Amino acid sequence: MGRLEISGVLLDMDGTIIDSENFWATAERELVESFGGNWSKQDGLSLAGSSLENAALKLRAAGVRRGIAEIIEFMSDRVIEQIRQRVPWRTGVVDFLRNLKDAGVSCALVTNSTRDIADHVAQAVHEELGSPFFRSIVCSEDIDRPKPDPEAYLKATELLCTTADQVVAIEDSVPGARSARASGAITIGVPLHKNIPEDSVHALWKSFAGKTFGDVQQVWLKHRGGIPR
């Protein structure tokens, strides 16, 4: 009888790998203001971790007279424009991802964002590390029920040919943490713009600075390492 082993690390994108909330807020503000409305920084932060459909509904409520699909397309295109100018990496995350790569652990990107944005960020990670990093990507087009529903994380574990009880998920938001935990994954929270309650995750990190796969393993061993096969 041996211990379960970590077979994958699943990472959220917006707010976790990249600090893109300001990019989304810019797109939202520009869209609302183009229809004569007002959109504050707090309005933007209130959507952190939200699904694109939910964000689009709130933008419509703020006066944007466009369809849901049009709103999502505008926001995604605008965010990509900003990422092309500058990738807003979170502090320490590139070194953390490099360490995961060196450890040989399979990683997946799990996001409520669109495929176009996810592909851009995955390519940026590729360029930073010198080779492809993510074994799989799950984005809004791949699921019927976005976070906080666990579908995205369950899908990612399937694509990595493993199960949720053998992976660790890393998130920055409450909806994302709820999604990951509901899937059965050990969940690490690395909050950015909004706090994550301690009881929403298995561990909280202040940032990725100095973190390695060894730190992921410590969380794993504390919460699941003693469970036999």
Side-chain angles (χ1 to χ4, degrees), residues 122-136:
Q123 180 59 33
V125 172
H126 177 168
E127 292 172 359
E128 288 286 338
L129 303 186
S131 62
F133 177 73
F134 292 109
R135 298 285 181 88
S136 63

Side-chain angles (χ1 to χ4, degrees), residues 6-7 97-107 135 213:
I6 300 174
S7 60
L97 297 180
R98 182 175 291 110
N99 185 268
L100 293 182
K101 179 176 178 289
D102 291 343
V105 62
S106 297
C107 295
R135 298 285 181 88
F213 182 53

Side-chain angles (χ1 to χ4, degrees), residues 78-97:
R78 189 69 183 91
V79 168
I80 289 173
E81 287 177 8
Q82 296 173 86
I83 290 175
R84 283 174 174 161
Q85 296 174 12
R86 176 181 65 87
V87 181
W89 303 113
R90 283 200 61 177
T91 300
V93 76
V94 173
D95 287 339
F96 175 70
L97 297 180

Side-chain angles (χ1 to χ4, degrees), residues 10-123:
L10 315 181
L11 297 115
D12 173 55
M13 185 178 72
D14 291 299
T16 300
I17 293 178
I18 58 173
D19 181 5
S20 54
E21 296 304 337
N22 288 333
F23 288 180
W24 286 104
T26 294
E28 293 154 5
R29 186 185 68 253
E30 290 175 352
L31 189 54
V32 171
E33 290 179 351
S34 72
F35 286 90
N38 295 306
W39 190 258
S40 68
K41 181 178 180 181
Q42 192 56 41
D43 289 327
L45 289 178
S46 72
L47 296 178
S50 179
S51 70
L52 291 175
E53 290 78 8
N54 183 55
L57 288 171
K58 290 194 174 184
L59 290 168
R60 280 170 61 94
V64 175
R65 296 183 297 278
R66 288 192 181 183
I68 299 297
E70 288 181 284
I71 292 173
I72 292 173
E73 181 179 8
F74 173 88
M75 290 195 300
S76 298
D77 288 347
R78 189 69 183 91
V79 168
I80 289 173
E81 287 177 8
Q82 296 173 86
I83 290 175
R84 283 174 174 161
Q85 296 174 12
R86 176 181 65 87
V87 181
W89 303 113
R90 283 200 61 177
T91 300
V93 76
V94 173
D95 287 339
F96 175 70
L97 297 180
R98 182 175 291 110
N99 185 268
L100 293 182
K101 179 176 178 289
D102 291 343
V105 62
S106 297
C107 295
L109 188 63
V110 186
T111 176
N112 273 346
S113 287
T114 63
R115 171 69 59 178
D116 285 347
I117 299 176
D119 285 345
H120 270 79
V121 172
Q123 180 59 33

Side-chain angles (χ1 to χ4, degrees), residues 113-195:
S113 287
T114 63
R115 171 69 59 178
D116 285 347
I117 299 176
D119 285 345
H120 270 79
V121 172
Q123 180 59 33
V125 172
H126 177 168
E127 292 172 359
E128 288 286 338
L129 303 186
S131 62
F133 177 73
F134 292 109
R135 298 285 181 88
S136 63
I137 297 174
V138 176
C139 55
S140 61
E141 292 93 332
D142 300 318
I143 55 175
D144 296 319
R145 300 176 300 280
K147 304 173 188 177
D149 189 277
E151 181 185 359
Y153 278 102
L154 293 172
K155 177 75 171 179
T157 59
E158 290 177 6
L159 291 174
L160 291 183
C161 299
T162 184
T163 55
D165 62 353
Q166 292 183 283
V167 301
V168 174
I170 304 180
E171 276 279 355
D172 75 295
S173 71
V174 172
R178 288 176 177 168
S179 171
R181 285 205 69 164
S183 76
I186 295 296
T187 306
I188 297 172
V190 193
L192 183 58
H193 295 290
K194 299 176 74 174
N195 292 331

